[in-house]
Amino acid sequence: RGAPKGSAGPRKAAEPTGDIKLRLSKANEAFMEEDYQTAINVISEVIRINAETYEAWTMLASAWQELGDVKKANQAYLGAAQLRPKHADSWLSVALKFEEVHDYKGAEHCYRVCARLIPNCIDAYYGKARMNIQKCNYKGAVIEYQKVIKQKPHDLDVIRGLAEAYEGVTAHAELKELLKDAFAYFRQPANYQDDMPDWNDLVTYISSYIALNEYEDGVRELKYQARWLVGREPETIFEDVTINDCEWDLDGERRAKISGFVEDKFDISSYGSSLPIHLRIQLGVCRFGMGNREEAFRHFEWLDPSDKTGTGKVLAYTEFYYEIADLLFEAGLFQRALTFYGPLKKIPEEQTVFLYMKMAQCFRGSKIMFKAEQFYLKVLEMEEFNIEARIELGEMCLEMERDDDAYRFVIEATMIKNGPPKPPRIRRRGRIKPLDASESAGVEAMFTQTSDGQAFRGRLTNRAKRKWLQEDGARNEKALAKEADAHYSNFLNERRGVSHGDRQSISKWVKAVQTLTDEFRSVRNFYPYKKATDSNVDGTAYPATLAYSMQNNLPSDFRGIDFKSWLDIFLEYALYLAKIGDRDESYELCEAARDSTVFSRSREDIFLIHIVWCACALYAADEQACYFVSKSFMKEYAFTTDAYRMFAAVSKMCHSPLSWYMGGPIKKYVRRQILAMDQEVKKMKPNGKLNDDALDISLMMLYAHIMYTSESYDLALEYMFRCHALDEHNPMVCLSISLTFFHLILNRRIEDQARYLLQGMTFLLKYYDSRKYSPNVEERQEAHYNVARAYHMLGLTGQALPYYILVLEETETAEGLGVELRQELVVDAAYNLQTIYSTVGNLELTKAITERWLVL
């Protein structure tokens, strides 16, 4: 009785019948002929007859795969695997196919079935662990990885997977021990293999020390393992250096002071720059936790928060900026935190409520109240019903003795928290039932004490509140005016000391102007556009005419200082900040002056603000700001020659790459200006021509030079010839046309080079004829030099020599007459002559030119 001996397990599949074999043969022929749809039809019929035909399922999967339907192919592979349940390779291969198409549910099913049917299948446990990681089921992943690691204790992939799972369940102690044992094992020379621990593994390892607040051990272990990874394991002298991390400095100044350090023993690249930025930040975090803040800030500065190098590291290391800023914020170092929060707001994707709230709290903690208010208001613009921002704004307004604003923000927060107001409860006789004492307690708490500490008795009426606010405001106004007058006196008295670099004067002056500008920017009546975005206490919007009415009702001065002096304070402080390298703050001051209703009424004030803004951008070598501000001149003073000359001059003075000058936005803007000018000046004349007198040559030459700089020479010539038609004797136009032709020749993209050379020389000599008889010596020098340089550029050094010599002769003649000349062209001409003579081997003339013109 019972099953015969040896029959345990699934029964053996029956031998295919002749009909099945015939159909499989036809399907195979269709598959070989690449007629996959026919093969699928035949195989489907085979499966309908006998679903346990293994060959049919595998052929069906191959056919679907050839047709590109991976999902159906995987389902067919799964059907084949079910016919051979004890074959682990079948389940694992199907699971991998599911993983390739990110079908983790199907892959997990295969791994789970394989683990159940085939005990001790390590690959199945490993697969289940990986699928649990994908589902963020870290606890389940830990269980599966622990089964695997018993069999493969030194498999690095398994160790990394288990480490990730430990991180997910915050088992930092277990994570630390796991990776500590792993690094100890792989450091042994006998255990070397192709896949060794790398920097990412060390980052995970050190993160466990940070999570456990074991900062000192974290620093020691980080440096110990990092030396091994860069190949300096024998260098043990740094194990005793615990007070600093000079081992990882970019320069060797501090390392050289370490006793026993040999500079050339290891490659210099294995020191400072070899430590990845993530580990350097971790090293800084550990140092900060140990209380060694100076060393921590050394590491944090590698992120270059002020962008001194111009590489924009904030884009690549955003998460590190947040990590450090949050660390500094929690430690109460608000100004330091702002240096890392600040660059983040320049990234559009990072302009979030979280960031603005943090920046507002930092400014509030630094007592820069007007900046804090700006960011709180930005939070409210982004998230209209944010209660936290309103509560903190109310608290801050109380600190600033702006009780009316504090009252408004608290009421708004209360309304948002409690929902829309309920209709008043009516008694039988139609009288409104008053609020309970508990309902009005929060409002009355705002007005229970005056600024001088005297308490009110009883319940305040609305009339009493208004009267108290007016009286208290008048008292505060007098005190503030007196304080502002003292700061303004310091501003005037310390100017001379600031200009001479006296540190004490600079300190007093900066303190005075900073206090004054902060005071001015905190007055919301000067910036009514901000109020237009807020809401009244009753929830209705401010009227659209608010800004207009405030502009027409502004006083002639503020705090006893006239508004012209206020503008001087803003602009002088902006220039000072730009000179010391704080360009962002200088831009904000210029922007605050521009946006104020006090200054925006005067076109002269706006012009002066933009001039100073442009100067700040030039000090900072910020080409984007230069072009933005100078573009505003072209917009405000359209079709005015000086506006275009201003743009060209600023572009030349800004010491930065030409990427913005010849960029798409500038090209499009100037092009639109030209089209607008053409439309404006086109008159309906019988000949149908443009009104030439109204065309601005400077605008067209500006666009032509932008095209010339971006190597669009054909388009540049088109506009240069338009300018030449308007003023054919203009030397700048002729010189520009000749140089454009020469550059076309040098690019070697044209066939008829002789014709272009002839045209270029024609315009060059036309330029020379217009300048060589000029009564101005410097103009004659310029003509000689430009012709010589053009010949020199074309490789015609023999023709260039006489013109270079003419430059020097003009200088000698002018010196004999006692005329002072600029030396730039003289030095350049002499240097080029020296180069030509030395190239042909005439050392005597080379020496003579050098001694006469190039020796200081």
Side-chain angles (χ1 to χ4, degrees):
R1 295 182 181 180
K5 188 176 180 180
S7 62
R11 62 180 178 81
K12 187 177 180 180
E15 182 72 18
T17 63
D19 180 49
I20 296 294
K21 290 181 179 179
L22 178 62
R23 292 176 188 270
L24 286 174
S25 177
K26 290 181 179 180
N28 190 45
E29 290 177 4
F31 187 89
M32 296 299 294
E33 294 173 0
E34 299 183 359
D35 186 1
Y36 302 118
Q37 192 59 52
T38 301
I40 289 172
N41 294 336
V42 175
I43 294 169
S44 299
E45 187 65 19
V46 172
I47 292 174
R48 186 187 65 80
I49 297 171
N50 185 2
E52 295 184 357
T53 307
Y54 179 81
E55 292 80 2
W57 286 103
T58 56
M59 190 178 297
L60 179 62
S62 300
W64 281 121
Q65 196 163 8
E66 292 294 336
L67 289 176
D69 195 334
V70 180
K71 185 175 180 180
K72 289 184 179 179
N74 288 344
Q75 292 297 330
Y77 280 125
L78 180 59
Q82 290 172 344
L83 295 177
R84 296 184 178 180
K86 290 292 186 178
H87 289 196
D89 292 342
S90 299
W91 291 108
L92 296 176
S93 64
V94 177
L96 290 175
K97 292 181 185 298
F98 276 118
E99 283 191 67
E100 290 173 1
V101 296
H102 307 292
D103 185 355
Y104 300 116
K105 187 175 180 179
E108 184 186 14
H109 169 74
C110 294
Y111 288 129
R112 190 169 59 248
V113 172
C114 183
R116 186 180 69 248
L117 297 178
I118 308 170
N120 299 324
C121 182
I122 300 301
D123 292 333
Y125 295 143
Y126 185 43
K128 284 179 67 179
R130 286 188 288 109
M131 293 306 101
N132 281 323
I133 292 288
Q134 289 293 336
K135 296 191 305 179
C136 296
N137 180 14
Y138 297 108
K139 188 174 181 180
V142 168
I143 295 172
E144 300 299 333
Y145 271 125
Q146 286 177 341
K147 294 177 183 177
V148 179
I149 206 165
K150 290 179 181 179
Q151 304 295 326
K152 297 181 176 181
H154 305 302
D155 189 311
L156 202 52
D157 290 333
V158 177
I159 294 172
R160 287 168 177 165
L162 182 55
E164 184 178 359
Y166 277 144
E167 278 191 304
V169 297
T170 63
H172 301 297
E174 291 82 354
L175 171 62
K176 183 185 76 172
E177 294 302 322
L178 172 71
L179 292 178
K180 186 175 184 179
D181 294 341
F183 273 100
Y185 174 81
F186 285 106
R187 284 178 68 103
Q188 302 299 322
N191 299 328
Y192 179 82
Q193 60 186 40
D194 293 337
D195 190 12
M196 296 287 284
D198 56 18
W199 293 114
N200 292 326
D201 300 317
L202 184 54
V203 167
T204 306
Y205 180 32
I206 301 304
S207 66
S208 64
Y209 282 96
I210 296 175
L212 295 169
N213 297 331
E214 298 177 0
Y215 301 117
E216 190 172 350
D217 292 340
V219 169
R220 183 176 60 254
E221 198 66 17
L222 188 153
K223 296 198 290 186
Y224 176 65
Q225 303 298 348
R227 280 194 295 272
W228 172 62
L229 288 174
V230 298
R232 290 192 292 107
E233 185 180 6
E235 194 173 35
T236 58
I237 60 171
F238 289 107
E239 292 180 2
D240 299 328
V241 181
T242 58
I243 59 172
N244 61 40
D245 305 317
C246 63
E247 176 183 3
W248 303 107
D249 288 351
L250 187 60
D251 57 65
E253 182 179 353
R254 294 199 298 173
R255 284 195 296 271
K257 299 177 182 179
I258 302 301
S259 176
F261 174 69
V262 181
E263 186 173 355
D264 299 329
K265 185 176 182 180
F266 296 96
D267 190 350
I268 188 64
S269 62
S270 64
Y271 290 94
S273 59
S274 63
L275 189 67
I277 190 68
H278 198 159
L279 280 167
R280 187 172 293 281
I281 299 305
Q282 287 186 326
L283 191 55
V285 170
C286 289
R287 286 293 182 184
F288 193 86
M290 294 168 61
N292 191 349
R293 294 184 173 182
E294 181 182 354
E295 197 68 21
F297 293 145
R298 274 179 170 268
H299 295 299
F300 295 159
E301 283 298 320
W302 276 70
L303 289 176
D304 192 17
S306 57
D307 199 19
K308 296 177 182 177
T309 61
T311 55
K313 291 184 178 181
V314 65
L315 295 171
Y317 305 119
T318 303
E319 60 182 40
F320 298 150
Y321 272 75
Y322 273 116
E323 181 182 351
I324 296 172
D326 292 344
L327 178 69
L328 297 172
F329 176 82
E330 292 171 2
L333 303 177
F334 301 115
Q335 286 290 348
R336 289 272 191 176
L338 282 170
T339 60
F340 289 93
Y341 281 132
L344 291 168
K345 71 181 177 67
K346 299 178 183 179
I347 306 175
E349 296 81 4
E350 301 300 330
Q351 295 173 2
T352 60
V353 169
F354 172 81
L355 176 62
Y356 286 151
M357 278 294 292
K358 285 291 187 182
M359 293 190 70
Q361 291 164 353
C362 285
F363 280 118
R364 184 184 172 192
S366 303
K367 303 302 180 183
I368 308 177
M369 298 304 189
F370 80 94
K371 293 290 292 183
E373 183 178 9
Q374 288 178 6
F375 282 98
Y376 279 130
L377 292 175
K378 284 183 180 180
V379 171
L380 296 182
E381 289 176 10
M382 298 174 67
E383 196 172 279
E384 184 178 0
F385 301 106
N386 190 298
I387 296 177
E388 182 184 1
R390 282 181 167 83
I391 292 175
E392 293 188 15
L393 257 176
E395 294 173 353
M396 189 180 73
C397 289
L398 275 180
E399 296 173 9
M400 298 168 65
E401 299 183 354
R402 286 167 43 189
D403 299 330
D404 52 343
D405 287 333
Y407 179 81
R408 176 166 65 87
F409 286 123
V410 171
I411 290 296
E412 288 179 3
T414 304
M415 292 176 64
I416 294 171
K417 184 177 181 180
N418 297 335
K422 297 179 181 179
R425 293 166 283 182
I426 308 297
R427 289 186 175 181
R428 291 182 181 180
R429 296 183 182 180
R431 292 178 296 179
I432 299 177
K433 183 181 178 180
L435 292 173
D436 297 335
S438 61
E439 295 174 319
S440 59
V443 177
E444 296 303 321
M446 301 287 294
F447 298 94
T448 58
Q449 196 173 21
T450 63
S451 60
D452 55 0
Q454 297 178 357
F456 286 112
R457 293 182 179 180
R459 185 176 182 273
L460 285 174
T461 63
N462 288 335
R463 179 179 298 177
K465 290 173 185 175
R466 287 196 297 271
K467 182 179 179 181
W468 172 70
L469 286 173
Q470 290 172 359
E471 294 175 353
D472 195 57
R475 289 193 297 269
N476 288 337
E477 181 66 27
K478 291 181 181 179
L480 291 172
K482 186 176 181 180
E483 184 181 354
D485 184 63
H487 288 305
Y488 183 61
S489 298
N490 285 338
F491 165 73
L492 295 176
N493 297 334
E494 303 298 337
R495 269 177 167 173
R496 182 181 296 275
V498 172
S499 63
H500 289 85
D502 182 45
R503 291 186 178 182
Q504 188 175 1
S505 297
I506 291 174
S507 177
K508 292 181 180 179
W509 187 85
V510 168
K511 183 179 180 180
V513 294
Q514 187 172 7
T515 304
L516 289 170
T517 53
D518 290 353
E519 177 69 17
F520 188 95
R521 293 164 75 177
S522 66
V523 179
R524 302 188 69 199
N525 286 346
F526 294 158
Y527 301 92
Y529 71 94
K530 294 181 180 178
K531 284 190 173 183
T533 61
D534 297 337
S535 297
N536 283 318
V537 174
D538 60 358
T540 60
Y542 278 92
T545 58
L546 177 62
Y548 177 77
S549 65
M550 285 189 169
Q551 280 189 341
N552 292 307
N553 294 318
L554 285 172
S556 59
D557 59 28
F558 174 62
R559 301 282 191 254
I561 305 172
D562 63 278
F563 288 128
K564 290 293 183 184
S565 299
W566 278 109
L567 182 59
D568 291 342
I569 293 170
F570 269 87
L571 299 185
E572 286 191 32
Y573 189 33
L575 283 171
Y576 170 78
L577 290 172
K579 289 177 182 178
I580 64 174
D582 193 353
R583 69 175 189 183
D584 292 337
E585 187 63 30
S586 68
Y587 293 167
E588 288 184 9
L589 281 170
C590 294
E591 187 177 1
R594 181 198 63 186
D595 293 342
S596 171
T597 55
V598 175
F599 308 124
S600 60
R601 297 177 298 173
S602 170
R603 194 178 187 189
E604 179 183 350
D605 289 346
I606 292 295
F607 176 79
L608 188 59
I609 290 168
H610 280 108
I611 288 290
V612 172
W613 199 338
C614 192
C616 293
L618 288 172
Y619 276 120
D622 184 356
E623 60 177 1
Q624 185 176 358
C626 284
Y627 298 142
F628 167 76
V629 179
S630 54
K631 178 180 169 182
S632 67
F633 288 115
M634 292 194 291
K635 185 177 180 180
E636 181 69 21
Y637 305 96
F639 313 128
T640 304
T641 299
D642 286 342
Y644 306 122
R645 288 177 175 173
M646 177 75 173
F647 179 84
V650 169
S651 303
K652 178 177 176 59
M653 293 174 65
C654 186
H655 299 290
S656 57
L658 293 173
S659 56
W660 273 89
Y661 177 73
M662 60 184 184
I666 297 298
K667 287 181 184 177
K668 292 176 183 177
Y669 181 79
V670 178
R671 173 67 174 161
R672 285 196 297 268
Q673 290 260 310
I674 294 175
L675 294 176
M677 179 182 68
D678 290 344
Q679 294 296 326
E680 184 72 21
V681 303
K682 188 173 289 185
K683 305 296 181 181
M684 297 302 295
K685 293 182 178 181
N687 56 8
K689 293 184 178 179
L690 295 177
N691 184 0
D692 293 345
D693 295 335
L695 290 170
D696 196 314
I697 293 180
S698 296
L699 175 59
M700 290 188 288
M701 282 300 293
L702 174 62
Y703 186 68
H705 279 117
I706 292 173
M707 293 296 102
Y708 175 89
T709 307
S710 57
E711 299 185 2
S712 300
Y713 300 118
D714 295 331
L715 200 56
L717 281 174
E718 177 184 342
Y719 285 91
M720 288 178 184
F721 276 120
R722 283 189 64 181
C723 297
H724 184 262
L726 297 173
D727 187 0
E728 62 180 351
H729 298 295
N730 189 308
M732 188 64 207
V733 175
C734 294
L735 178 63
S736 299
I737 293 174
S738 66
L739 292 177
T740 307
F741 277 120
F742 293 154
H743 278 283
L744 276 171
I745 296 170
L746 294 174
N747 278 351
R748 299 179 181 178
R749 291 183 294 185
I750 56 174
E751 296 180 358
D752 194 359
Q753 292 185 356
R755 179 168 64 86
Y756 280 86
L757 178 61
L758 181 60
Q759 288 178 302
M761 292 302 304
T762 301
F763 283 99
L764 179 66
L765 296 177
K766 189 175 182 179
Y767 155 77
Y768 186 63
D769 290 340
S770 67
R771 287 286 198 184
K772 67 180 180 180
Y773 297 117
S774 172
N776 190 318
V777 179
E778 291 184 342
E779 289 187 357
R780 297 199 301 270
Q781 277 188 318
E782 171 206 305
H784 302 323
Y785 181 81
N786 283 334
V787 173
R789 191 70 188 86
Y791 279 125
H792 200 169
M793 179 177 64
L794 295 171
L796 304 174
T797 53
Q799 285 75 15
L801 277 174
Y803 293 98
Y804 281 137
I805 293 172
L806 283 174
V807 176
L808 304 182
E809 289 178 353
E810 292 279 4
T811 305
E812 290 179 335
T813 304
E815 288 178 351
L817 298 174
V819 179
E820 293 186 3
L821 299 176
R822 294 166 56 191
Q823 296 298 315
E824 291 88 345
L825 291 180
V826 178
V827 173
D828 289 344
Y831 179 79
N832 291 341
L833 273 175
Q834 177 202 55
T835 304
I836 294 172
Y837 288 142
S838 63
T839 302
V840 298
N842 193 336
L843 300 182
E844 292 183 3
L845 285 177
T846 302
K847 182 179 179 181
I849 290 290
T850 304
E851 291 177 348
R852 173 65 180 85
W853 300 104
L854 298 178
V855 176
L856 298 177

